[in-house]
Amino acid sequence: MKTNLKKVFALIFAAMFVFCFAACGEKKVPVIGISQYGEHESLDNCREGFLQGLKDAGLVEGTDYTIDYQNAGFDDNITKQIAESFSANNVALMCGIATPSATACYAAAENKDIPVIFTAITDPVQAKLDTGNVTGTSDKLAVEGQLELIRALQPEAKTIGILYTTSEPNSVSAIAEYEEKAPAYGFTIEAVGVTAQSEVVQACDTLLARGVDCMSNLTDNNVVGVLPAILEKTNAKSIPVYGSEIEQVKKGCVASIGIDYYELGRQTGQMAAKVLKGEATCEEMPYETISEYGLYVNYTALTEMGLTLPEELAGRAIDANA
């Protein structure tokens, strides 16, 4: 009986040893924590493009990485909670989509030196994301191109209205650039700031009451998140709204000199792949910007506003709804 018990214990011990050895020998799949500030088409496109960029670089989900995707619902407190959970779980890399998510990730990752890749950041320098174990892609606006477009479509326009979030560095930086460059095109800028998404619709009423000739959107997440409500008010007053990228034009903005966020995200994913492969560190890769902007047009919205695309622009225009 004692001999049998010894054999049983020996077998159990051997099985446990083999199990532990196998478990210890398993390859640990790196986790990428993706923090997205909120849900709207532009940021969704960034995320989808990011995932495609990883695949383009030859990485296979489940083998080379796994994804922990979290959405903050435009809540700054939740962005911090998400970033802190990524840090506590020692993810291999954090991806912050939009400035609040990116800055929260960087703050949570800094002590552990976890690499952070950002996307959809208009001004990484203003957001203090240009030094350290962080890099990514900027969606800097083509402000001069947008001003040229508005002037071409509305030769008599004088005032451009812009809504923006006062706490978002990207938006503050963009407003400053608009105010600096608008006079050269014969425009003045009428800007109204908000502190939360709940204030945007009322701020739109304030802006329209000031008699603006049109509105130009930034890539401001609080504003873009309620764009349909804004367009309902501007359409009622026949005030054209110019978008900052293709998804805004699809929703009803008349036109935009802007970017394709899917392509921006894909560019970001390829940068992240280099970090995961050990080909480069974030410090070795300066943040990148889009070099080519598209002219996106919503022909239905143009017609409803009584606007005509000049012949010199029509040849390179992309129908956003095609």
Side-chain angles (χ1 to χ4, degrees):
M1 183 69 176
K2 289 182 179 179
T3 303
N4 289 338
L5 284 173
K6 285 181 179 179
K7 286 183 178 179
V8 169
F9 283 128
L11 289 170
I12 291 173
F13 179 79
M16 290 175 64
F17 178 80
V18 170
F19 175 79
C20 291
F21 180 80
C24 293
E26 285 179 0
K27 177 186 175 183
K28 186 177 180 181
V29 180
V31 176
I32 300 174
I34 299 179
S35 174
Q36 182 172 317
Y37 186 48
E39 200 167 85
H40 63 64
E41 287 84 350
S42 303
L43 300 187
D44 291 343
N45 286 348
C46 273
R47 185 182 75 253
E48 291 170 9
F50 177 81
L51 297 175
Q52 185 60 50
L54 294 172
K55 294 176 183 176
D56 290 346
L59 298 182
V60 178
E61 186 172 1
T63 301
D64 299 308
Y65 66 91
T66 59
I67 296 294
D68 182 358
Y69 165 62
Q70 302 290 332
N71 193 301
F74 301 106
D75 188 317
D76 289 348
N77 291 322
I78 294 178
T79 64
K80 294 177 183 177
Q81 293 171 16
I82 291 170
E84 288 166 1
S85 71
F86 286 163
S87 180
N89 292 330
N90 292 309
V91 298
L93 180 146
M94 297 188 199
C95 173
I97 303 178
T99 304
S101 288
T103 53
C105 283
Y106 184 53
E110 195 171 11
N111 288 339
K112 292 190 174 183
D113 204 32
I114 297 171
V116 176
I117 304 287
F118 60 76
T119 188
I121 308 294
T122 301
D123 191 342
V125 176
Q126 183 75 18
K128 298 180 180 178
L129 293 171
D130 58 325
T131 57
N133 199 3
V134 59
T135 191
T137 57
S138 167
D139 60 351
K140 189 179 187 312
L141 298 173
V143 172
E144 290 194 63
Q146 187 87 328
L147 291 169
E148 289 175 2
L149 174 65
I150 297 171
R151 178 54 70 211
L153 286 171
Q154 294 183 258
E156 305 301 320
K158 296 179 180 179
T159 306
I160 301 172
I162 304 178
L163 298 169
Y164 74 104
T165 303
T166 56
S167 61
E168 191 162 330
N170 291 337
S171 297
V172 174
S173 174
I175 288 291
E177 187 174 359
Y178 262 101
E179 290 177 337
E180 176 191 350
K181 295 179 177 178
Y185 295 88
F187 294 117
T188 57
I189 300 298
E190 194 70 53
V192 175
V194 300
T195 60
Q197 193 172 81
S198 59
E199 302 171 7
V200 174
V201 175
Q202 184 176 349
C204 180
D205 287 332
T206 300
L207 200 54
L208 293 175
R210 295 180 183 178
V212 297
D213 296 301
C214 64
M215 288 175 56
S216 186
N217 271 350
L218 309 179
T219 51
D220 188 297
N221 293 293
N222 282 324
V223 177
V224 176
V226 292
L227 181 56
I230 294 171
L231 289 170
E232 184 177 346
K233 290 181 174 292
T234 55
N235 288 344
K237 292 184 175 291
S238 297
I239 300 297
V241 178
Y242 295 84
S244 55
E245 45 82 32
I246 188 171
E247 295 298 335
Q248 295 177 26
V249 180
K250 286 180 181 179
K251 282 190 170 183
C253 292
V254 293
S256 169
I257 297 292
I259 65 175
D260 184 329
Y261 272 96
Y262 182 85
E263 290 302 321
L264 186 74
R266 187 162 71 168
Q267 184 175 336
T268 314
Q270 291 169 349
M271 296 177 76
K274 290 181 181 179
V275 174
L276 290 176
K277 289 179 175 182
E279 296 175 355
T281 64
C282 290
E283 291 94 334
E284 293 169 343
M285 292 188 292
Y287 73 84
E288 300 176 2
T289 58
I290 288 288
S291 57
E292 294 184 8
Y293 297 88
L295 168 53
Y296 303 107
V297 176
N298 184 320
Y299 287 100
T300 300
L302 274 178
T303 301
E304 289 175 352
M305 290 294 160
L307 301 177
T308 303
L309 194 66
E311 189 174 336
E312 63 269 20
L313 296 179
R316 64 186 183 93
I318 300 168
D319 187 345
N321 295 317

